[in-house]
Structure formats: C-alpha cells, structure tokens
C-alpha cells in the first residue's frame, strides 16, 4: 500500500466541494420554489378578489356611478340605459370589464403589482393580449386553468400570472351578442409581480445559506487535510518501523541460516571424525583383544590370581570398547549412508530383526507378539530392521526382574503414515527421562546394572528422522514402556524402487 498523497488530498477537498455545492444548490432551489409559491398565492388572491367583484357587478347587470372626467361613459358598452340622470346629476353604467380596467389602473399606479384584463376577442381593442398572454389564452382553450412564469423585464425579472376567465350566466348579458356560451373561455386576468417583492425576504436567507455552506466547506476540507497530514506522518512512521523490522528479520534469518549451515557442517565433520576414529580404532582394538586372549591362553596358568583378574579387566574393557565403537560406527553410518527407499513389508522387517535377536530372545525366554498382518511402509529396509532391533533389544534388556519379557509390535494408520508401537512389560522409563534417553550417550543405569553404550535410541531417532517421522516413549497401560515411531505408508503410486534420501 502506498502512502496517501496529494491525489487523496485533492480527492477529499473535491468531495467536500461537491457535497457543499450540492447542498447549497438544493437549499437555493428550495428558496426559489418558496418565492414562486409566494408569487402564486399572491396572484391567485388578487385574481379571486377581482373575479368575485366582477361577478357581483355582472349579477347586478352593472352599477351606476357618477359620470366624471375620470369615469366617462364607457364607449364600448352598448346599452340604451348606459347613461341616466338621478336628481339632475349624470350617472353612467359600469360593467365588469370597465370596473376591472379602472381597478387595474388604480393598482398599476402602485409599483408592486400590475393587473389587466385580456381577451383574444376584446370588445375594447386595448384589452387585446400581448404575446405571452396570447400563448396562455391558447393553452386555456386547450384546458389549462392558470399559468405562472418568471420572465425578464426592463427593471428586473418578474412573475407573470394569468388565470382563465370562463363565461358565466351573468356575463351573457353583455357577451351573448359575441356568440359566447356559458363555459367558453372569455379571456384571462393577468397579474405581474416583480421578483424583488419576494427576494427581499429570501435573499438574506440565500446569503446565509451560501455563507454557511462556504464555511462548512472550508472547515471540513481543512479538517480533512489536517487529518490527512497526520495520517501521512503515522503512515511513514509505520512504514519505517516495518522496514526496520523486515531488515531485522532478514538479518536474523541470514544469521540463523549461517548458523544452521555451520551446525550442519560441524555435525558432518563430527560424524566423519567419529567414523574415521571408530574405524581406525577397530584394528588396534582387535589386536588388544586378540593378544589379551593369547596371553590368557598361553600364560594364563602361569599368572597369579591378580594377573588373571587384570587380564580379565583388559578383555572386558576391550569388549566394551568394541561395542562402543561398533555402535558409534552404526550411528555415524545412519547419517552418512544413502538410504534406498522402497515399499517394504513391516512384517518382513520384523522377521529379520527377530532373527538377529534370536539368541537374546532365547536367553531371556521372551515372547514377541504382533498384530497381523503388519502393513507395508515406505523406507530403507536395513535401517528399519536396525530400528526395530534396537527397540526390541532394549525391551529384552530392560526387562523386569520378576517377569519373563513380553514384547508386542503393533501398527495403526494416521493419515499418510503409520504409527508403529513396540511395547514391553519391563522396568519402564521415568517421566522426566523420556526425552533425554534419545540423546546420544544418555543412560539411566550403571553399566554393571544394565550393560550398554547409550547410543541405541540415538540411532533409532536418527533412523526415524531420516524417514521424516518422530519417535517418543510413553508409559505402558500396565506398566513397562511403549516406544512409538511414525513411518510413511507405502504408496501404490510411488515406484517401489525409487532411490533417494527420505
Ligand atoms: P543403552 O541401552 O545402550 O543404554 P539406549 O540408547 O538404547 O542405550 O537407551 C538409553 C536408555 O534408555 C537406557 O540406558 C535405558 O535406561 C533407557 N531405555 C531404553 N529402552 C528402554 C526400555 N525398553 N525400558 C526401559 N528403559 C529403557
């Protein structure tokens, strides 16, 4: 992962700008909508008042007002009773249309609102529609009832509103002659209101909205950038720590592998030395043994008691040294020899081991039992024979003084391998010595109690490990010990004569 950089910063600021922009736009749009709604309400109110008044006037067939210069007789009103005199004073009839015009003129004198009556078929030409009104009147004929639009004007934008006027019964008094029927679109009442009327209220809210959003954006973007800067710092610190850790691990790994190599090399050297030394010691030892026997044979009778005793120690020592050297040689051979892997029958291996142990079995009166049939395993036959021989040999050697030895060899499957167990009814291994006894030269008894070199189990362990397995000892269910080791199961897929180190 890379350190979050300038791109992330720009992205975050961009995101906040987009969010603030969208929110501001939404709020301003709502304010525009409010303005529009207020304009519609006000225009509708004006129109309702005028319409009602017109209807009232129409219902009464018009009303008489004093004829003055400001209110001259309506030249467009065809009515024989248009002008009358009451108490010698001239009165003239005001029909709805004339009334609307006069009211509109009064309203228009103010600045906030303008109102007019319009029709596509006006009796008075001045009531003809402008383009905008004309389009609306055409739409009214198609069914529309009212229309509101924001349009541009010389003194600024303003709302234009027009409401449909339908012919009602009282209207026919004047308009039946034009061919109108009840329900026809007679025209419209048109109202204009400057936008400023509403923005005077909404503009402060607009400014406030923009300010709040601007401030919000600055704060959030600033906070994000500060957070990003801190994140970058922590990130870099973390990266540095990780790099340091990786370097240390790499160094340790190198050191460890060098130490491993060194260990393997010195092990190999040691094995080589043990092999050479043991090998070279065999010959002089044989000579010592042979000459000790010769001396005993030829000069034995001439020696006194002490002499014969010393000679006995000499032969005995030479014999034990021979055993030690043989075992050491065997131990070093396990590590050195190329192991030929093959699918082998544990049954056959055990038979061979028992043949080698024939004398000990006979001497100890031991019984060796097995689960039949023992399985096929994959391994190096001579090594596995040696392994079984060492374990069974120990079972015979470390027998209980009061019981004839009984050894059982069994096997149980565990995934890709077999667990082979050699159990005995001997003296057992104390719990605290169960790991130690697999180390070379580790013995739990004196030579006089039980002879031995302390190499047998080390050889066994080495053989098992060369097969990729483990070896351990447990206490037997009825005393004694159970030595168990794992060995790969024979694989029908693997060529039975494959060569190689396990
Ligand atoms: P050695 O038998 O030559 O002493 P091993 O390496 O074969 O050497 O055994 C190491 C020690 O483990 C023995 O000295 C003995 O104390 C103990 N041991 C091995 N096998 C058994 C066994 N079957 N029962 C009890 N003790 C055992």
């Amino acid at each position: 992962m890379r350190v979050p950089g300038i791109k992330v910063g720009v992205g975050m600021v961009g995101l906040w700008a987009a969010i603030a922009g969208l929110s501001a736009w939404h709020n301003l749009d709502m304010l525009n909508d409010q303005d529009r709604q207020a304009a519609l309400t006000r225009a509708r109110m004006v129109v309702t008042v005028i319409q009602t008044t017109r209807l009232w006037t129409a219902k009464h067939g018009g009303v008489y007002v004093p004829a003055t210069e400001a209110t001259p007789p309506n030249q467009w009103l065809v009515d024989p009773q248009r002008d009358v005199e009451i108490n010698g004073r001239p009165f003239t009839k005001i029909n709805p249309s004339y009334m609307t015009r006069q009211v509109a003129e009064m309203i228009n004198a103010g600045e906030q609102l303008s109102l007019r009556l319009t029709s596509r078929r006006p009796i008075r030409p001045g009531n003809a529609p402008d383009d905008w009104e004309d389009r609306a009147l055409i739409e009214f004929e198609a069914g529309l009832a009212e229309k509101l639009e924001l349009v541009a004007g010389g003194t600024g934008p303003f709302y234009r509103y027009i409401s449909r006027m339908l012919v009602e019964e009282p209207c026919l008094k004047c308009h039946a002659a034009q061919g109108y029927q009840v329900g026809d679109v007679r025209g419209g009442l048109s109202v204009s209101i400057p936008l400023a009327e509403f923005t005077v209220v909404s503009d402060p809210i607009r400014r406030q909205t923009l300010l709040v959003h601007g401030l919000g954006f600055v704060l959030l973007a600033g906070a994000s950038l500060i957070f990003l800067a801190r994140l970058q710092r922590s990130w870099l610190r973390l990266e540095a720590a990780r790099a340091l850790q990786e370097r240390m691990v790499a160094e340790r790994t190198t050191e460890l592998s060098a130490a491993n190599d060194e260990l393997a090399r010195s092990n190999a050297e040691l094995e080589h030395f043990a092999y050479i030394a043991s090998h070279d010691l065999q010959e002089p030892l044989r000579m010592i043994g042979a000459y000790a026997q010769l001396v005993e044979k030829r000069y034995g009778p001439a020696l006194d008691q002490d002499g014969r005793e010393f000679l006995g120690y000499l032969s005995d020592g030479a014999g034990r040294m021979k055993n030690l050297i043989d075992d050491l040689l065997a131990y070093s051979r396990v590590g050195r020899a190329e192991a030929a892997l093959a699918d082998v029958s544990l049954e056959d291996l055990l038979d061979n081991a028992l043949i080698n142990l024939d004398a000990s079995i006979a001497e100890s009166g031991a019984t060796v039992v097995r689960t039949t049939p023992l399985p096929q395993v994959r391994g190096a036959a001579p090594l596995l024979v040696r392994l079984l021989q060492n374990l069974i040999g120990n079972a015979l050697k470390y027998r209980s003084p009061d019981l004839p030895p009984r050894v059982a060899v069994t096997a149980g499957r565990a995934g890709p391998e077999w667990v082979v167990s050699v159990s005995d009814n001997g003296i057992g291994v104390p719990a605290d010595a169960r790991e130690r006894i697999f180390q070379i030269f580790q013995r739990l008894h004196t030579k006089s109690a039980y002879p031995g070199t302390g190499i047998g189990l080390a050889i066994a362990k080495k053989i098992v490990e060369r097969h990729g397995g483990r070896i351990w000892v447990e206490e037997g269910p009825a005393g004694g010990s159970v030595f168990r080791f794992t060995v790969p199961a024979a694989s029908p897929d693997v060529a039975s004569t494959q060569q190689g180190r396990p």
Side-chain angles (χ1 to χ4, degrees):
M1 279 254 277
R2 292 218 330 262
V3 187
I6 187 93
K7 274 191 189 161
V8 177
V10 170
M12 274 161 54
V13 171
L15 185 71
W16 286 126
I19 291 173
L22 266 174
S23 171
W25 173 81
H26 175 67
N27 279 281
L28 294 179
D29 193 50
M30 270 177 16
L31 284 171
N32 289 346
D33 224 44
Q34 262 176 36
D35 286 354
R36 184 185 165 81
Q37 213 49 45
L40 189 64
T41 308
R42 195 183 296 183
R44 274 182 184 157
M45 215 160 75
V46 171
V47 166
T48 307
V49 171
I50 299 292
Q51 293 269 46
T52 313
T53 319
R54 279 171 57 82
L55 202 62
W56 179 86
T57 313
K59 263 188 180 167
H60 292 87
V63 292
Y64 285 98
V65 300
T68 61
E69 208 175 311
T71 312
N74 180 0
Q75 59 169 311
W76 310 106
L77 179 62
V78 185
D79 186 338
Q81 290 180 333
R82 187 185 74 185
D83 302 305
V84 295
E85 268 191 24
I86 301 170
N87 292 338
R89 221 174 133 197
F91 276 77
T92 186
K93 194 185 240 180
I94 303 287
N95 67 346
S97 178
Y98 195 18
M99 185 207 71
T100 308
R101 183 153 46 92
Q102 289 227 326
V103 171
E105 275 163 10
M106 284 172 80
I107 288 176
N108 296 350
E111 271 173 21
Q112 279 82 359
L113 191 76
S114 68
L115 170 82
R116 77 190 284 271
L117 185 67
T118 180
S119 168
R120 301 191 78 217
R121 287 157 65 193
I123 296 174
R124 178 177 163 269
N127 287 353
D130 61 21
D131 287 349
W132 187 85
E133 290 165 333
D134 193 47
R135 279 197 300 278
L137 288 171
I138 291 169
E139 286 175 285
F140 287 165
E141 273 157 23
L144 191 75
E146 62 178 352
K147 183 172 179 171
L148 178 80
E149 222 171 68
L150 185 66
V151 297
T155 53
F158 59 96
Y159 279 110
R160 289 205 71 174
Y161 173 82
I162 183 162
S163 171
R164 179 177 72 176
M165 266 180 5
L166 297 179
V167 175
E168 293 180 45
E169 195 62 48
C171 310
L172 291 178
K173 282 181 195 148
C174 297
H175 295 290
Q178 285 178 282
Y180 280 118
Q181 288 178 2
V182 172
D184 284 350
V185 176
R186 163 77 192 103
L189 260 175
S190 166
V191 179
S192 300
I193 315 170
L195 175 65
E197 281 288 296
F198 309 101
T199 53
V200 76
V201 179
S202 58
D203 269 356
I205 308 175
R206 268 190 192 85
R207 278 193 291 279
Q208 195 178 328
T209 302
L210 287 173
L211 191 73
V212 167
H213 280 81
L215 269 176
F217 165 70
V218 170
L219 280 177
L220 287 169
S224 301
L225 290 177
I226 290 171
F227 169 75
L228 186 68
R230 289 199 173 167
L231 187 74
Q232 272 176 336
R233 271 205 300 279
S234 316
W235 194 294
L236 287 173
R237 271 205 298 271
L238 209 71
E239 290 260 285
R242 207 172 53 204
L244 185 71
Q245 204 179 36
E246 273 171 12
R247 220 172 35 245
M248 276 164 66
V249 169
E251 277 168 14
R252 294 287 165 283
T253 313
T254 317
E255 280 171 20
L256 214 65
S257 110
N260 264 348
D261 290 351
E262 181 57 29
L263 204 68
R265 200 176 53 76
S266 75
N267 258 350
E269 271 174 11
L270 208 66
E271 264 177 17
H272 186 65
F273 170 76
Y275 179 77
I276 300 285
S278 323
H279 195 266
D280 290 356
L281 279 174
Q282 270 180 326
E283 184 47 33
L285 190 63
R286 250 197 304 274
M287 262 173 79
I288 294 172
Y291 278 98
Q293 274 177 9
L294 198 64
V295 170
E296 192 184 0
K297 203 168 154 195
R298 280 209 197 160
Y299 308 104
L303 289 174
D304 64 2
Q305 180 68 25
D306 280 356
R308 277 199 296 279
E309 199 176 318
F310 297 158
L311 204 57
Y313 291 147
L314 188 68
S315 304
D316 193 40
R320 277 192 282 120
M321 195 162 173
K322 182 183 177 317
N323 289 344
L324 187 65
I325 285 173
D326 285 350
D327 282 356
L328 265 178
L329 267 176
Y331 180 76
S332 58
R333 270 194 201 113
V334 176
R336 292 159 55 84
E338 278 294 317
L341 283 188
D343 288 350
V344 286
S345 151
L346 198 59
E347 196 86 26
D348 295 348
L349 299 175
L350 180 59
D351 286 343
N352 284 335
L354 293 182
I355 291 169
N356 296 344
L357 289 167
D358 211 20
S360 315
I361 293 172
E363 178 262 319
S364 61
T367 335
V368 180
V369 293
R370 63 178 89 178
T371 48
T372 41
L374 285 168
Q376 290 276 116
V377 297
R378 185 154 186 83
L383 293 182
L384 293 178
V385 169
R386 174 99 208 193
L387 167 65
L388 288 170
Q389 195 177 315
N390 282 10
L391 296 180
I392 298 168
N394 278 350
L396 302 178
K397 183 163 51 166
Y398 299 103
R399 62 178 178 258
S400 165
D402 349 294
L403 287 172
R406 188 176 184 282
V407 186
V409 181
T410 58
R413 188 69 188 248
E417 45 188 24
W418 287 96
V419 180
V420 181
S421 307
V422 177
S423 37
D424 62 46
N425 57 349
I427 60 171
V429 181
D432 63 346
R434 285 183 193 148
E435 292 214 352
R436 181 153 57 90
I437 52 170
F438 292 97
Q439 287 169 21
I440 193 163
F441 303 131
Q442 285 291 331
R443 308 202 68 235
L444 305 181
H445 309 278
T446 58
K447 287 199 172 63
S448 52
Y450 293 95
T453 57
I455 302 178
L457 286 182
I459 292 178
K461 184 167 189 266
K462 216 168 186 186
I463 293 174
V464 170
E465 284 173 355
R466 286 213 60 186
H467 286 78
R470 307 180 293 122
I471 184 166
W472 68 101
V473 63
E474 294 169 10
E475 190 179 2
S481 24
V482 185
F483 282 82
R484 297 189 203 279
F485 65 88
T486 59
V487 63
S491 157
D493 308 331
V494 181
S496 61
T497 52
Q498 192 182 328
Q499 298 280 309
R501 281 172 171 257

